[in-house]
Amino acid sequence: MEFDPLSRLVIISNRVSAPNGSHSGAQGGLAVALASALQENGGIWFGWSGEETDEYTGQITFTRAEGVTTATVDLEAQDVDEYYNGYANRTLWPLFHYRVDLAEYEREFAGGYKRVNVRFAETVRPLIEDGDAVWIQDYHMFPLGEELRRLGLKNRIGFFLHIPWPPRRLLSILPEAEALVRTMFAYDVIGFHTEEWLSSFVDYACHELGATLEGDILRLGERRVQVMAVPIGIDVDEFAELATSTRGRLAFRQMRDSAVGRDMIVGVDRLDYSKGLEERFLGYERFLTEHPEERKEVFLLQIAPPSRASVGSYQRIRSSLESIAGRINGAYSDVDWTPIRYVNQGYPRDVLAGIYRAAKIGLVTPLRDGMNLVAKEYVAAQNPEDPGVLILSRFAGAACQLTDAVLINPYSAEEMADAIMQALRMGRDERIERWERMMAVIRREDIAWWRRTFTNALVRTPEPA
Ligand code: GDG
């Protein structure tokens, strides 16, 4: 596939990650991909600094590193409460992950969300030049495109959603659903990870707003939006190299030594209720109960760095996990064996890669996930001669591509227990076959493919009238 040269790119996302010259892969793959798009095309990456200020001034801090210019602004404490901790993480995130029970609907949150998007639009507007393509990321900024149009912006604007799009009836629970979806017609291209998320969006737009779909073009009144499913990938070679780098090999050896001949099962997730961590612990417990003979043959290493710690539901999941892990360890541990090693800190990416490689099983069991990059990283880090087995939830976007994983329903402790047994017994030939097919997919649709497919569609779309 040939790629169009892009005009300057303006990327806008809640948080911005400037290149830091690190060789330990400290930055995530998405940050690196967006930075390299800017290195190739020039442009700016705009977003919140993560800092608070007494009064919003719109003063921009510019930095330039390795050919990437970032522009960030501080937000007021009330903005952070209502926009970030509020509407983004207490309303949209749970609802879009089908957790109606956890979603909170406060007018202050919706008001703060709108206010911050207006502020972002007014602040970034003067930085956008004629001919620039604007690419907005994720659920923090659904209405930003419309706010930019209100300010007269005629440029092409694209939007990519990193989380699932919920089914129509579920989204209808959101008081602002209709208005929110209407704002999205300000975009020229909207990308989702999977056909499922895309068709839920189209379903809402057609049935609730009266939009019509022709091919991949969704129309509402005068507006046309191209919708596309473009699954995000990882930098496969970089990840495989991290796994065999000096620190990666060291981490691998340390894990193997500390395993003393036992098989390691690994989970790596931000501590988030969407990741199915409670269900994972319970599925593993079921495995221990059903297979007493396997008890001292395996252990589960769960790495779960805390996230969004100021949101109540995140504090609750943290204490619930501590109590489940404590109970399981209390019930099954022996002087020379602990069934779950539960760790609440993060590790550098090269160390993580070595840990993945040392694990016989990668256990990735989200209840709902836009894509899930850990599943792909686990595959990329494996030893081609003796790869481990990926157990993957059907409800992760990644399951659409990684059909050679052992796919499970994470709500069923029995299925999880069976899958662990199946993975432990799986012969080397089958493991290699499955792994090779998964590698072919993640290599073909890697991170560079993702961003080029999207930006290509964006520059080819007709200029907005
Ligand atoms: C959202 C969507 C979608 C985790 N622990 C450590 C660490 N990580 C890294 C992983 C991976 C990343 O964080 C997590 O990515 P996921 O895709 O699994 O999940 P979300 O954070 O929820 O991301 C998701 C993604 O956006 C991209 O579109 O796939 O569905 O929810 O890269 O490796 N990294 C380091 N230390 C850790 O301890 N260095």
Side-chain angles (χ1 to χ4, degrees):
M1 187 178 185
E2 209 178 290
F3 296 107
D4 289 334
L6 194 64
S7 35
R8 243 177 48 122
L9 193 60
V10 176
I11 295 175
I12 308 176
S13 58
N14 178 55
R15 294 303 302 278
V16 166
S17 176
N20 57 11
S22 150
H23 298 290
S24 63
Q27 277 189 304
L30 174 61
V32 173
L34 295 179
S36 64
L38 290 170
Q39 280 158 345
E40 270 177 37
N41 305 289
I44 290 176
W45 189 350
F46 175 86
W48 175 35
S49 61
E51 302 293 327
E52 288 182 13
T53 179
D54 289 342
E55 198 180 335
Y56 186 82
T57 58
Q59 179 166 348
I60 303 174
T61 304
F62 288 97
T63 62
R64 189 161 171 84
E66 299 176 31
V68 175
T69 303
T70 60
T72 55
V73 285
D74 301 345
L75 290 176
E76 288 173 18
Q78 191 184 350
D79 291 340
V80 177
D81 270 357
E82 294 173 353
Y83 148 80
Y84 181 69
N85 289 324
Y87 204 69
N89 288 333
R90 285 162 71 177
T91 309
L92 295 177
W93 176 275
L95 184 66
F96 279 54
H97 287 87
Y98 299 46
R99 291 302 298 268
V100 185
D101 56 322
L102 296 179
E104 299 170 50
Y105 311 98
E106 304 279 347
R107 290 205 176 119
E108 286 75 32
F109 292 173
Y113 182 76
K114 160 112 179 164
R115 180 178 66 247
V116 170
N117 273 281
V118 170
R119 287 180 166 175
F120 282 152
E122 288 171 349
T123 309
V124 76
R125 173 70 187 89
L127 306 181
I128 304 171
E129 298 170 4
D130 284 353
D132 286 356
V134 179
W135 188 10
I136 296 171
Q137 310 283 327
D138 229 359
Y139 63 102
H140 312 88
M141 304 198 166
F142 283 124
L144 184 59
E146 174 161 278
E147 295 305 333
L148 287 168
R149 296 275 183 236
R150 237 191 264 287
L151 297 173
L153 198 81
K154 295 274 197 307
N155 302 48
R156 296 181 172 97
I157 314 181
F159 179 90
F160 191 87
L161 183 66
H162 290 266
I163 65 175
W165 186 276
R168 170 159 66 107
R169 307 297 284 174
L170 224 148
L171 183 62
S172 304
I173 295 170
L174 182 72
E176 301 79 23
E178 200 181 311
L180 192 122
V181 178
R182 230 173 247 291
T183 67
M184 294 177 70
F185 281 83
Y187 295 115
D188 299 295
V189 180
I190 301 178
F192 302 87
H193 287 307
T194 68
E195 292 291 341
E196 183 181 350
W197 316 143
L198 183 156
S199 65
S200 297
F201 173 76
V202 168
D203 186 38
Y204 189 95
C206 293
H207 287 95
E208 305 291 335
L209 306 183
T212 52
L213 184 71
E214 268 170 59
D216 60 354
I217 304 296
L218 198 56
R219 289 181 195 276
L220 182 66
E222 297 295 294
R223 283 295 305 158
R224 73 184 289 288
V225 186
Q226 182 183 349
V227 287
M228 59 196 302
V230 203
I232 197 169
I234 62 167
D235 185 336
V236 176
D237 291 329
E238 184 232 29
F239 218 84
E241 278 161 26
L242 285 179
T244 51
S245 65
T246 310
R247 291 216 303 180
R249 284 207 311 273
L250 187 64
F252 174 87
R253 263 204 312 278
Q254 281 171 342
M255 284 321 305
R256 282 282 160 102
D257 289 350
S258 86
V260 290
R262 299 185 168 115
D263 287 327
M264 172 164 78
I265 304 173
V266 77
V268 175
D269 311 77
R270 269 187 314 101
L271 212 169
D272 192 299
Y273 47 79
S274 68
K275 301 294 181 184
L277 292 163
E278 290 167 294
E279 289 73 10
R280 189 176 311 170
F281 285 0
L282 296 174
Y284 175 65
E285 180 183 36
R286 183 82 176 216
F287 166 80
L288 297 176
T289 319
E290 284 179 2
H291 301 280
E293 75 288 356
E294 295 290 333
R295 276 183 203 164
K296 288 193 180 180
E297 304 296 320
V298 295
F299 69 96
L300 169 63
L301 169 66
Q302 177 62 53
I303 296 175
S307 69
R308 303 174 194 169
S310 48
V311 176
S313 48
Y314 287 76
Q315 293 156 6
R316 285 193 295 279
I317 176 86
R318 183 166 183 177
S319 73
S320 158
L321 281 168
E322 277 162 14
S323 98
I324 299 175
R327 182 178 59 71
I328 296 174
N329 280 342
Y332 295 95
S333 289
D334 206 336
V335 285
D336 58 350
W337 177 63
T338 310
I340 303 182
R341 298 186 194 174
Y342 177 46
V343 183
N344 281 134
Q345 58 168 310
Y347 293 88
R349 284 168 70 74
D350 48 5
V351 172
L352 215 53
I355 295 175
Y356 286 141
R357 195 175 174 99
K360 177 95 190 209
I361 297 177
L363 194 51
V364 182
T365 61
L367 304 180
R368 212 43 81 165
D369 216 334
M371 172 51 57
N372 194 295
L373 295 179
V374 169
K376 295 182 175 183
E377 292 166 0
Y378 175 77
V379 171
Q382 295 309 299
N383 174 1
E385 311 287 317
D386 188 21
V389 179
L390 175 67
I391 298 179
L392 177 62
S393 161
R394 296 180 186 287
F395 306 132
C400 297
Q401 292 170 296
L402 300 177
T403 49
D404 281 290
V406 176
L407 295 177
I408 54 147
N409 173 353
Y411 291 94
S412 163
E414 286 164 337
E415 267 191 41
M416 210 176 307
D418 290 351
I420 293 173
M421 201 59 231
Q422 182 189 347
L424 289 173
R425 289 199 178 129
M426 195 180 287
R428 191 163 156 269
D429 289 348
E430 183 178 351
R431 280 187 283 120
I432 291 178
E433 270 171 38
R434 286 176 182 256
W435 176 80
E436 282 176 348
R437 285 197 292 261
M438 290 193 282
M439 275 300 265
V441 174
I442 63 174
R443 231 183 243 295
R444 191 172 62 237
E445 296 174 349
D446 69 357
I447 186 77
W449 170 86
W450 171 77
R451 67 132 165 121
R452 290 207 175 106
T453 308
F454 190 90
T455 52
N456 230 13
L458 186 57
V459 295
R460 281 184 191 173
T461 199
E463 258 189 279

